[in-house]
Amino acid sequence: MSDDDIDLDDIERRMKGAVEALKTEFAGLRTGRASTSLLDPVTVDVYGATMPLNQVGTVTVPEPRMLSVQVWDKSNASAVEKAIRNSGLGLNPMLDGQLVRIPIPELNEERRAELAKVAAKYAEQGRIAIRNVRRDGMDTLKKLEKDKAISEDDHKMYADEVQELTNSYVTQVDDTLQTKESEIMQV
C-alpha cells in the first residue's frame, strides 16, 4: 500500500485548522478589555462587496476601554458604524467624521453568561468540523478497503489512528473553551 491512499497528515492538518479557526473566533469574544482582534469577525458591505473591517480602515486601541476605526474612505464610515452595531458583539459605535469610536462597556454578569454561551457554540462548531474531517477519513478508508487497496487489518489500524487524532483535537477544543470561559467569567 502506498502512503498516497490515506493521508493522515492531511487529516491532522484539517483538524488542526478547525482548532485554529476556533481560537480566531475566541479572539473576537471580548473579556472586558479593548483588543483590536475583537473586531476581526466584523464584515462591512462596501463597494458592492462584503469586506473584513480591517480592509476598510485601521483599528487601534487609543485607551484600555476604547477602540477606534479610522475609515480610509469617508463614504464608508456609516457602513462601518452600522456593521459594528449589527455585529452581535454588543458594541455601540459613535461616528465622528472618518473616525468610529467604540467604547467597550463593562461586562455585567448577564453579558458574561451570554458570551460564555457564544463561546460554547463556537466550540461545538469546532467539534463538528473535527468530526466531519474524521468522517471523511473513515469514508476514504471504507472505500479503500472495498476497492481492495488496503486490507481489513490496515483499515482498522488507520481507523484507530484517525480516531486518536479526533480525540486529541476534540480535547484541545474542550481545553480552549475552558480557558476562554474562565477568562470571560473573571471579574
Side-chain angles (χ1 to χ4, degrees), residues 60-74:
T60 58
V61 183
E63 36 189 280
R65 304 197 58 77
M66 175 79 69
L67 287 171
S68 68
V69 180
Q70 181 66 48
V71 183
W72 299 323
D73 183 345
K74 188 173 173 42

PDB file of all heavy atoms in Angstrom, residues 60-74:
ATOM      1  N   THR A  60      -7.476  50.644  16.035  1.00  0.00           N
ATOM      2  CA  THR A  60      -6.479  50.922  17.079  1.00  0.00           C
ATOM      3  C   THR A  60      -7.134  50.894  18.456  1.00  0.00           C
ATOM      4  O   THR A  60      -8.354  50.936  18.570  1.00  0.00           O
ATOM      5  CB  THR A  60      -5.818  52.310  16.874  1.00  0.00           C
ATOM      6  OG1 THR A  60      -6.837  53.300  16.872  1.00  0.00           O
ATOM      7  CG2 THR A  60      -5.026  52.379  15.577  1.00  0.00           C
ATOM      8  N   VAL A  61      -6.287  50.838  19.485  1.00  0.00           N
ATOM      9  CA  VAL A  61      -6.742  50.869  20.876  1.00  0.00           C
ATOM     10  C   VAL A  61      -6.157  52.132  21.514  1.00  0.00           C
ATOM     11  O   VAL A  61      -5.068  52.095  22.084  1.00  0.00           O
ATOM     12  CB  VAL A  61      -6.267  49.609  21.647  1.00  0.00           C
ATOM     13  CG1 VAL A  61      -6.817  49.609  23.071  1.00  0.00           C
ATOM     14  CG2 VAL A  61      -6.659  48.337  20.930  1.00  0.00           C
ATOM     15  N   PRO A  62      -6.893  53.272  21.424  1.00  0.00           N
ATOM     16  CA  PRO A  62      -6.344  54.520  21.973  1.00  0.00           C
ATOM     17  C   PRO A  62      -6.310  54.538  23.500  1.00  0.00           C
ATOM     18  O   PRO A  62      -5.492  55.220  24.083  1.00  0.00           O
ATOM     19  CB  PRO A  62      -7.288  55.597  21.431  1.00  0.00           C
ATOM     20  CG  PRO A  62      -8.549  54.875  21.091  1.00  0.00           C
ATOM     21  CD  PRO A  62      -8.169  53.463  20.757  1.00  0.00           C
ATOM     22  N   GLU A  63      -7.207  53.788  24.143  1.00  0.00           N
ATOM     23  CA  GLU A  63      -7.200  53.664  25.602  1.00  0.00           C
ATOM     24  C   GLU A  63      -7.737  52.280  25.972  1.00  0.00           C
ATOM     25  O   GLU A  63      -8.348  51.623  25.137  1.00  0.00           O
ATOM     26  CB  GLU A  63      -8.007  54.798  26.261  1.00  0.00           C
ATOM     27  CG  GLU A  63      -9.238  55.233  25.510  1.00  0.00           C
ATOM     28  CD  GLU A  63      -9.873  56.473  26.083  1.00  0.00           C
ATOM     29  OE1 GLU A  63     -10.590  56.326  27.090  1.00  0.00           O
ATOM     30  OE2 GLU A  63      -9.663  57.563  25.522  1.00  0.00           O
ATOM     31  N   PRO A  64      -7.523  51.825  27.215  1.00  0.00           N
ATOM     32  CA  PRO A  64      -7.864  50.447  27.597  1.00  0.00           C
ATOM     33  C   PRO A  64      -9.314  50.039  27.361  1.00  0.00           C
ATOM     34  O   PRO A  64      -9.584  48.876  27.108  1.00  0.00           O
ATOM     35  CB  PRO A  64      -7.534  50.386  29.087  1.00  0.00           C
ATOM     36  CG  PRO A  64      -6.557  51.480  29.322  1.00  0.00           C
ATOM     37  CD  PRO A  64      -6.855  52.537  28.307  1.00  0.00           C
ATOM     38  N   ARG A  65     -10.248  50.976  27.408  1.00  0.00           N
ATOM     39  CA  ARG A  65     -11.666  50.609  27.238  1.00  0.00           C
ATOM     40  C   ARG A  65     -12.270  51.265  25.991  1.00  0.00           C
ATOM     41  O   ARG A  65     -13.453  51.580  25.959  1.00  0.00           O
ATOM     42  CB  ARG A  65     -12.464  50.984  28.489  1.00  0.00           C
ATOM     43  CG  ARG A  65     -11.880  50.354  29.757  1.00  0.00           C
ATOM     44  CD  ARG A  65     -12.807  50.354  30.908  1.00  0.00           C
ATOM     45  NE  ARG A  65     -14.049  49.673  30.667  1.00  0.00           N
ATOM     46  CZ  ARG A  65     -14.198  48.336  30.658  1.00  0.00           C
ATOM     47  NH1 ARG A  65     -13.176  47.565  30.842  1.00  0.00           N
ATOM     48  NH2 ARG A  65     -15.384  47.803  30.449  1.00  0.00           N
ATOM     49  N   MET A  66     -11.429  51.474  24.984  1.00  0.00           N
ATOM     50  CA  MET A  66     -11.907  52.150  23.766  1.00  0.00           C
ATOM     51  C   MET A  66     -11.177  51.581  22.548  1.00  0.00           C
ATOM     52  O   MET A  66      -9.974  51.355  22.581  1.00  0.00           O
ATOM     53  CB  MET A  66     -11.629  53.647  23.867  1.00  0.00           C
ATOM     54  CG  MET A  66     -11.945  54.467  22.645  1.00  0.00           C
ATOM     55  SD  MET A  66     -13.679  54.843  22.428  1.00  0.00           S
ATOM     56  CE  MET A  66     -13.980  55.954  23.774  1.00  0.00           C
ATOM     57  N   LEU A  67     -11.947  51.348  21.494  1.00  0.00           N
ATOM     58  CA  LEU A  67     -11.373  51.005  20.195  1.00  0.00           C
ATOM     59  C   LEU A  67     -11.718  52.138  19.244  1.00  0.00           C
ATOM     60  O   LEU A  67     -12.724  52.837  19.442  1.00  0.00           O
ATOM     61  CB  LEU A  67     -11.992  49.715  19.645  1.00  0.00           C
ATOM     62  CG  LEU A  67     -11.593  48.405  20.300  1.00  0.00           C
ATOM     63  CD1 LEU A  67     -12.470  47.274  19.784  1.00  0.00           C
ATOM     64  CD2 LEU A  67     -10.142  48.098  20.036  1.00  0.00           C
ATOM     65  N   SER A  68     -10.905  52.327  18.227  1.00  0.00           N
ATOM     66  CA  SER A  68     -11.285  53.290  17.204  1.00  0.00           C
ATOM     67  C   SER A  68     -10.941  52.705  15.842  1.00  0.00           C
ATOM     68  O   SER A  68      -9.986  51.930  15.703  1.00  0.00           O
ATOM     69  CB  SER A  68     -10.592  54.639  17.411  1.00  0.00           C
ATOM     70  OG  SER A  68      -9.218  54.519  17.179  1.00  0.00           O
ATOM     71  N   VAL A  69     -11.747  53.075  14.859  1.00  0.00           N
ATOM     72  CA  VAL A  69     -11.510  52.650  13.483  1.00  0.00           C
ATOM     73  C   VAL A  69     -11.392  53.905  12.643  1.00  0.00           C
ATOM     74  O   VAL A  69     -12.338  54.698  12.558  1.00  0.00           O
ATOM     75  CB  VAL A  69     -12.673  51.770  12.948  1.00  0.00           C
ATOM     76  CG1 VAL A  69     -12.382  51.343  11.514  1.00  0.00           C
ATOM     77  CG2 VAL A  69     -12.905  50.564  13.836  1.00  0.00           C
ATOM     78  N   GLN A  70     -10.217  54.110  12.071  1.00  0.00           N
ATOM     79  CA  GLN A  70     -10.003  55.231  11.154  1.00  0.00           C
ATOM     80  C   GLN A  70     -10.362  54.700   9.764  1.00  0.00           C
ATOM     81  O   GLN A  70      -9.619  53.916   9.186  1.00  0.00           O
ATOM     82  CB  GLN A  70      -8.539  55.695  11.210  1.00  0.00           C
ATOM     83  CG  GLN A  70      -8.239  56.863  10.296  1.00  0.00           C
ATOM     84  CD  GLN A  70      -8.960  58.132  10.722  1.00  0.00           C
ATOM     85  OE1 GLN A  70      -8.938  58.517  11.875  1.00  0.00           O
ATOM     86  NE2 GLN A  70      -9.597  58.795   9.764  1.00  0.00           N
ATOM     87  N   VAL A  71     -11.539  55.111   9.266  1.00  0.00           N
ATOM     88  CA  VAL A  71     -12.018  54.630   7.966  1.00  0.00           C
ATOM     89  C   VAL A  71     -11.273  55.379   6.873  1.00  0.00           C
ATOM     90  O   VAL A  71     -11.157  56.601   6.908  1.00  0.00           O
ATOM     91  CB  VAL A  71     -13.550  54.843   7.840  1.00  0.00           C
ATOM     92  CG1 VAL A  71     -14.064  54.277   6.532  1.00  0.00           C
ATOM     93  CG2 VAL A  71     -14.264  54.206   9.027  1.00  0.00           C
ATOM     94  N   TRP A  72     -10.747  54.638   5.890  1.00  0.00           N
ATOM     95  CA  TRP A  72      -9.926  55.256   4.850  1.00  0.00           C
ATOM     96  C   TRP A  72     -10.761  56.077   3.870  1.00  0.00           C
ATOM     97  O   TRP A  72     -10.331  57.111   3.406  1.00  0.00           O
ATOM     98  CB  TRP A  72      -9.134  54.182   4.102  1.00  0.00           C
ATOM     99  CG  TRP A  72      -8.199  53.429   5.001  1.00  0.00           C
ATOM    100  CD1 TRP A  72      -7.479  53.937   6.050  1.00  0.00           C
ATOM    101  CD2 TRP A  72      -7.906  52.039   4.976  1.00  0.00           C
ATOM    102  NE1 TRP A  72      -6.750  52.947   6.664  1.00  0.00           N
ATOM    103  CE2 TRP A  72      -6.992  51.762   6.012  1.00  0.00           C
ATOM    104  CE3 TRP A  72      -8.322  50.987   4.173  1.00  0.00           C
ATOM    105  CZ2 TRP A  72      -6.486  50.499   6.268  1.00  0.00           C
ATOM    106  CZ3 TRP A  72      -7.811  49.722   4.424  1.00  0.00           C
ATOM    107  CH2 TRP A  72      -6.910  49.487   5.458  1.00  0.00           C
ATOM    108  N   ASP A  73     -11.954  55.611   3.545  1.00  0.00           N
ATOM    109  CA  ASP A  73     -12.816  56.328   2.608  1.00  0.00           C
ATOM    110  C   ASP A  73     -14.024  56.842   3.381  1.00  0.00           C
ATOM    111  O   ASP A  73     -14.835  56.067   3.870  1.00  0.00           O
ATOM    112  CB  ASP A  73     -13.253  55.366   1.486  1.00  0.00           C
ATOM    113  CG  ASP A  73     -14.103  56.033   0.424  1.00  0.00           C
ATOM    114  OD1 ASP A  73     -14.609  57.156   0.669  1.00  0.00           O
ATOM    115  OD2 ASP A  73     -14.273  55.437  -0.655  1.00  0.00           O
ATOM    116  N   LYS A  74     -14.137  58.186   3.480  1.00  0.00           N
ATOM    117  CA  LYS A  74     -15.195  58.802   4.287  1.00  0.00           C
ATOM    118  C   LYS A  74     -16.587  58.270   3.936  1.00  0.00           C
ATOM    119  O   LYS A  74     -17.450  58.130   4.801  1.00  0.00           O
ATOM    120  CB  LYS A  74     -15.139  60.318   4.123  1.00  0.00           C
ATOM    121  CG  LYS A  74     -16.062  61.071   5.066  1.00  0.00           C
ATOM    122  CD  LYS A  74     -15.790  62.557   4.933  1.00  0.00           C
ATOM    123  CE  LYS A  74     -16.707  63.468   5.674  1.00  0.00           C
ATOM    124  NZ  LYS A  74     -17.122  63.201   6.966  1.00  0.00           N
TER     125      LYS A  74
END
